[in-house]
Amino acid sequence: MVSGDADFIVIGAGIAGASAGYGLCRHGRVLLLDQEHIAGYHTTGRSAAFFAETYGNEAVRRLTTASKAFFQTPPDDFSTVPLVHDRGALFIARPDQQASLQALYADKNAVLPSVAMVDAVTINRRVPLIRPDYAAAGVWDPDCQDIFVHAMHQGFLKTIQRHGGQIHTNQQVQTLRWAEGCWTVVTTAGATFTAPVVVNAAGAWGDQVAVIAGAEPVGLVPKRRTIVMIPAPEPLAHNAWPLVLDADDQFYFKPESGRILASPGDVTPMPPQDVQPDEQDVAVAVARVQSVLDIAVPRIERKWAGLRSFTADETPVVGFDPIVPGLFWCVGQGGFGMQTAPAMAALTESLIVSGGVSRDLAVFGITADLYAPGRTSLLPTGQEKRRRVAPPA
């Protein structure tokens, strides 16, 4: 039977748990526990990730910008391949979407001056198969990059293991008990693990894990995102097109391994589960791509869905629980988990090991209050968080 003592137990081995463990592994023994048979089975393994400093709200953007140097120059032993690849992002708008496009441009240009308005001629030059009567104008972000998800995730996990950490799969948490300054974690597989700090990085299951630990949920809402892969015409064979997005978030598509990866931009609330693509969303994805591109879609080569978990303010939750001792939150990454992972690792490390935000993060405007699990923006309007008299025994 598997068991073990550690300094830090991280529940969840997707990108949230892997980055948290990476940040902590130089400070003590880390154990990652994942309920599935492989690490990153759910959202991480199904991600079509981009690095875009203009994506997300202000709190997310600060984490993204703080992560940029890591993506550009990762540690020498982190990965044998680059973590990012130049792509560029082109937001396009029909004539009736000009107000949305202008607002989008103002927002993104304020973050990155390199973001520019482009006309229909430029759009057609960058993506020749866009129907000439579809896009009236667009916004060009030249700094958007593809993220190599597998390299990123595995780099975190391998570093943890090099520092003596362990990854245990098929270990769904059954009970979490705090006593005498230590957590005891028992899994449905009958294994027992102990540590003074438990990091809740359980993704869509984050609130469920919190309840098991005796903490109050932070209001995570998992939302389904659907992806399809369809055949690409010859002009896409060299993978040269940018990421193309609708000005109102109704679709995106890009070249991927000689095919077209596309999404209808769905954000359907779902309970935590091994989510599968909805056939209606698949059909919508194909229809929207065909409305934009002058192509036929003879078949769907692959389809899948993942859950992206959001808080009410769409900002990650990172920090010690305000009531339950030794319970650290690292959840709510939404669609930003990959691009913020290096900064999330550093923030987790800093808050747990030093009790505050490091100077390296503070220069980006990152503060503990922005991401704290007890922050006001997570509370229902007019209500106060119920406080326990004592932690769970």
Side-chain angles (χ1 to χ4, degrees):
M1 180 181 298
V2 177
S3 63
D5 298 323
D7 297 290
F8 312 102
I9 292 174
V10 181
I11 299 174
I15 195 61
S19 61
Y22 176 85
L24 296 169
C25 67
R26 296 167 182 81
H27 303 282
R29 188 179 181 218
V30 172
L31 296 182
L32 266 63
L33 307 181
D34 198 280
Q35 66 182 3
E36 304 298 344
H37 66 289
I38 57 172
Y41 173 78
H42 290 286
T43 303
T44 298
R46 309 174 192 192
S47 175
F50 324 119
F51 181 88
E53 290 183 81
T54 62
Y55 186 38
N57 62 27
E58 178 61 29
V60 169
R61 290 172 177 178
R62 293 179 187 185
L63 291 170
T64 302
T65 300
S67 299
K68 187 174 184 177
F70 189 100
F71 281 107
Q72 293 178 333
T73 312
D76 291 339
D77 59 352
F78 189 82
S79 174
T80 59
V81 298
L83 299 180
V84 289
H85 174 75
D86 289 343
R87 171 67 62 191
L90 180 63
F91 298 83
I92 61 174
R94 303 181 306 269
D96 62 306
Q97 293 178 295
Q98 294 308 296
S100 294
L101 190 70
Q102 288 294 333
L104 186 148
Y105 168 72
D107 178 61
K108 296 185 181 300
N109 178 261
V111 178
L112 285 180
S114 57
V115 171
M117 291 286 293
V118 294
D119 58 17
V121 174
T122 302
I123 291 171
N124 182 259
R125 186 170 64 248
R126 293 195 179 277
V127 189
L129 288 182
I130 289 181
R131 297 180 185 276
D133 58 346
Y134 184 89
V139 169
W140 171 242
D141 177 356
D143 298 321
C144 180
Q145 296 177 298
D146 287 340
I147 298 175
F148 291 104
V149 173
H150 181 74
M152 188 74 180
H153 187 227
Q154 289 301 309
F156 284 140
L157 296 180
K158 290 177 181 178
T159 303
I160 293 168
Q161 292 172 315
R162 281 199 302 270
H163 283 82
Q166 296 181 357
I167 303 160
H168 297 286
T169 55
N170 293 313
Q171 300 292 336
Q172 182 177 356
V173 172
Q174 185 174 50
T175 64
L176 277 160
R177 183 177 179 85
W178 170 266
E180 299 181 356
C182 187
W183 283 102
T184 298
V185 182
V186 179
T187 72
T188 53
T192 300
F193 306 91
T194 60
V197 174
V198 163
V199 178
N200 177 7
W205 287 262
D207 273 347
Q208 293 183 2
V209 168
V211 170
I212 294 172
E216 294 184 8
V218 295
L220 291 172
V221 180
K223 297 182 180 181
R224 184 178 64 215
R225 173 57 56 92
T226 303
I227 303 289
V228 300
M229 294 281 276
I230 59 178
E234 183 60 29
L236 275 172
H238 299 293
N239 203 31
W241 285 5
L243 167 68
V244 179
L245 308 96
D246 176 62
D248 288 318
D249 294 326
Q250 295 300 300
F251 64 79
Y252 68 78
F253 60 83
K254 68 164 187 168
E256 181 74 23
S257 304
R259 299 173 178 82
I260 296 174
L261 180 152
S263 172
D266 49 322
V267 285
T268 308
M270 302 284 291
Q273 60 183 279
D274 184 5
V275 68
Q276 301 300 313
D278 179 83
E279 290 304 318
Q280 178 63 28
D281 289 331
V282 170
V284 168
V286 173
R288 289 178 180 172
V289 169
Q290 287 186 299
S291 72
V292 179
L293 295 178
D294 187 14
I295 63 171
V297 180
R299 64 189 179 279
I300 296 169
E301 297 193 351
R302 190 182 169 204
K303 56 187 176 182
W304 69 91
L307 290 178
R308 309 182 310 158
S309 296
F310 293 88
T311 57
D313 58 8
E314 297 193 351
T315 297
V317 178
V318 191
F320 277 108
D321 189 87
I323 304 300
V324 178
L327 179 66
F328 190 92
W329 291 80
C330 187
V331 300
Q333 286 86 347
F336 325 109
M338 280 293 168
Q339 68 176 37
T340 61
M344 289 285 282
L347 182 58
T348 298
E349 175 187 11
S350 179
L351 291 175
I352 291 179
V353 176
S354 304
V357 175
S358 69
R359 187 174 302 176
D360 289 344
L361 293 174
V363 298
F364 295 99
I366 293 170
T367 66
D369 290 345
L370 271 176
Y371 311 97
R375 63 185 185 263
T376 303
S377 56
L378 293 183
L379 303 180
T381 303
Q383 297 186 24
E384 294 183 359
K385 185 180 283 294
R386 178 174 54 84
R387 300 282 177 170
R388 290 187 179 80
V389 175

